[in-house]
């Protein structure tokens, strides 16, 4: 009984207006996991939901141990510890592929995305919740260490290394998206075709609801996260949102958030309050939501126009919600009363 209550609670948390409650005939389960510095809520339907949830837990724990930079024994910590000493570190092929992917995003959106940002994240105190505002000179020095070109990855040999001493990796921008993809594969292997995975703001909708209608996912109002600017209908897709509101501190009346512009070493000031990327690929969605938040509206839309595999919801500082054409039918705008105007960006 208790499990059913928490299951229904999780379900109502994820689903909004228009989403039917599960019927008595549905077989499902839900679970909450704290990992990767965030709360994850998984809701699975199907006869084997219980055992699939266990597989999901196991997979998330494995990935946290692989990707964390605060766990000494993780492969990321090994890479960081050996920065600049020339030793090739053997990594799991999964991780070699992920590092190569992160480099490709860095190359596709120069100056926006860089997983070697760790020394700068540390300087702002985000890593240990010991917040401070670093000086310009300090940031300029640390930025010398930030360059994904000096992360050398050999996917065939499954090895990697950081070329210069002092360099460090931080996979915070894409670890949850990567985990979502792996969890999705793990539960699909157990026959699950219907699930909602909320990995700390990365929401993956597997399949559609039992009646064939899409899952509904709210896009939060970045200026008041208890409200939402609209609702997305999703089937077999992930919505990943990056926003300055997710993690920040204030000093002398100024707000400093956790998404850093690798060009300046300071929190990105791109004119965007949040970026949601909707894609069938959870890893792409997560990486791009961070990168395009730094890029800003114009570059984000230019990049979207050259691509086929994702759509966007942008909330701008001047109170506009900009949605790309592919979402025209599947996004319901609810932001008017919150003071937002609505625009559709076309190709
Ligand atoms: P997300 O919540 O997915 O947007 O990721 C934000 C996290 O990514 C931060 O907490 C950092 O760990 C990391 N990060 C911050 N800025 C960048 C950047 N420009 N490129 C890559 N990773 C970043
Ligand atoms: Mg991200």
């Amino acid at each position: 009984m208790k499990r059913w209550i928490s299951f229904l609670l999780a379900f109502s948390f994820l689903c909004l207006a228009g989403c039917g409650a599960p019927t008595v005939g549905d077989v499902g389960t839900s679970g909450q996991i704290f990992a990767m510095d965030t709360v994850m809520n998984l809701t699975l339907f199907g006869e084997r939901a219980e055992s699939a949830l266990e597989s999901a837990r196991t997979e998330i724990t494995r990935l946290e141990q692989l990707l964390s930079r605060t766990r000494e024994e993780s492969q990321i910590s090994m890479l960081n510890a050996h920065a600049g000493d020339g030793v090739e570190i053997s990594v799991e092929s999964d991780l070699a592929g992920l590092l190569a992917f992160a480099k490709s995003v860095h190359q596709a959106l120069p100056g926006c995305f860089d997983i070697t940002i760790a020394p700068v994240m540390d300087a702002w105190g985000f890593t240990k919740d010991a917040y401070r505002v670093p000086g310009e000179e300090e940031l300029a020095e640390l930025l010398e260490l930030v360059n994904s070109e000096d992360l050398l990855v050999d996917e065939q040999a499954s090895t990697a290394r950081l070329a210069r001493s002092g360099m460090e990796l931080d996979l915070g921008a894409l670890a949850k998206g990567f985990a979502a993809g792996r969890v999705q594969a793990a539960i699909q292997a157990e026959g699950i075709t219907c699930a909602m995975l909320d990995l700390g703001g990365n929401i993956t909708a597997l399949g559609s609801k039992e009646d064939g209608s899409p899952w509904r996912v709210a896009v939060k109002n970045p200026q008041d996260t208890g409200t939402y600017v609209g609702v997305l209908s999703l089937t077999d897709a992930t919505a990943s949102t990056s926003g300055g509101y997710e993690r920040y501190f204030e000093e002398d009346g100024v707000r400093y958030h956790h998404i850093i512009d690798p060009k300046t070493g300071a929190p990105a000031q791109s004119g965007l309050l949040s970026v949601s990327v909707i894609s069938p690929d959870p890893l792409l969605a997560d990486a791009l939501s961070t990168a395009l938040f730094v890029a800003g509206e114009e570059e984000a839309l230019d990049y979207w126009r050259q691509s086929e595999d994702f759509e966007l919801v942008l909330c701008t500082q001047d109170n506009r919600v900009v949605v790309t054409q592919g979402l025209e039918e599947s996004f319901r705008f609810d932001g008017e009363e919150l003071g937002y105007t609505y625009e559709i960006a076309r190709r």
Side-chain angles (χ1 to χ4, degrees), residues 2 4 14 19 21 23 26 43 74 77 87 90 102 105 140 152 165 172 223 251-252 254 264 280 291 332 340 344:
K2 222 167 131 193
W4 264 100
L14 291 166
C19 178
T23 62
D26 290 339
T43 305
S74 77
S77 293
V87 176
S90 290
V105 178
L152 307 168
S165 167
Q223 302 183 81
E251 197 175 292
D252 297 332
V254 183
T264 63
R332 189 189 76 206
Y340 289 93
I344 300 204

Side-chain angles (χ1 to χ4, degrees), residues 96-117:
L98 179 61
L99 296 176
F101 170 77
K103 284 184 64 133
S104 74
V105 178
H106 167 76
Q107 283 154 4
L109 288 155
C112 296
F113 188 83
D114 204 318
I115 58 167
T116 66
I117 199 75

Side-chain angles (χ1 to χ4, degrees), residues 119-274:
V120 177
M121 289 303 289
D122 288 352
W124 287 93
F126 281 110
T127 318
K128 294 190 174 145
D129 291 350
Y131 304 121
R132 61 187 274 276
V133 179
E136 270 177 38
E137 255 176 54
E138 182 183 354
L139 283 179
E141 233 168 77
L142 291 172
L143 281 177
E144 297 282 317
L145 296 168
V146 177
N147 189 348
S148 284
E149 293 308 311
D150 291 335
L151 161 63
L152 307 168
V153 185
D154 184 337
E155 269 193 276
Q156 294 241 294
S158 216
T159 59
R161 72 184 167 90
L162 288 163
R164 287 179 293 128
S165 167
M167 288 184 77
E168 277 197 57
L169 298 174
D170 175 341
L171 300 191
L174 40 58
K176 285 175 272 175
F178 184 66
R182 289 295 185 263
V183 167
Q184 183 176 326
I187 65 174
Q188 279 177 319
E190 299 226 20
I192 303 294
T193 56
C194 181
M196 262 286 213
L197 314 173
D198 178 355
L199 274 57
N202 288 258
I203 299 184
T204 299
L206 181 60
S208 49
K209 287 188 289 165
E210 212 187 31
D211 63 3
S213 63
W215 297 101
R216 294 184 200 281
V217 172
V219 178
K220 282 181 188 166
N221 173 10
Q223 302 183 81
D224 171 11
T225 53
T227 60
Y228 52 92
V229 298
V231 179
L232 284 161
S233 297
L234 294 186
T235 303
D236 284 323
T238 293
S240 171
T241 300
S242 290
Y245 63 86
E246 288 177 315
R247 204 154 166 223
Y248 61 86
F249 68 96
E250 279 172 351
E251 197 175 292
D252 297 332
V254 183
R255 190 181 273 203
Y256 300 95
H257 63 71
H258 69 137
I259 304 176
I260 303 293
D261 185 336
K263 298 180 288 297
T264 63
Q269 303 278 359
S270 65
L272 293 176
L273 297 174
S274 71

Side-chain angles (χ1 to χ4, degrees), residues 259-338:
I259 304 176
I260 303 293
D261 185 336
K263 298 180 288 297
T264 63
Q269 303 278 359
S270 65
L272 293 176
L273 297 174
S274 71
V275 173
S276 301
V277 177
I278 294 84
S279 170
D281 179 348
L283 173 60
L284 182 76
D286 193 4
L288 285 186
S289 66
T290 311
L292 298 178
F293 180 90
V294 178
E297 178 179 353
E298 202 181 316
E299 192 178 346
L301 291 177
D302 281 350
Y303 191 68
W304 166 75
R305 288 191 178 96
Q306 300 161 30
S307 317
E308 297 288 324
D309 42 6
F310 67 90
E311 301 291 336
L312 296 171
V313 179
L314 309 176
C315 294
T316 71
Q317 234 155 28
D318 57 359
N319 291 337
R320 289 174 298 121
V321 174
V322 183
V323 168
T324 55
Q325 194 178 348
L327 296 175
E328 204 166 0
E329 302 298 319
S330 52
F331 181 77
R332 189 189 76 206
F333 176 60
D334 288 329
E336 201 174 324
E337 283 178 12
L338 303 170

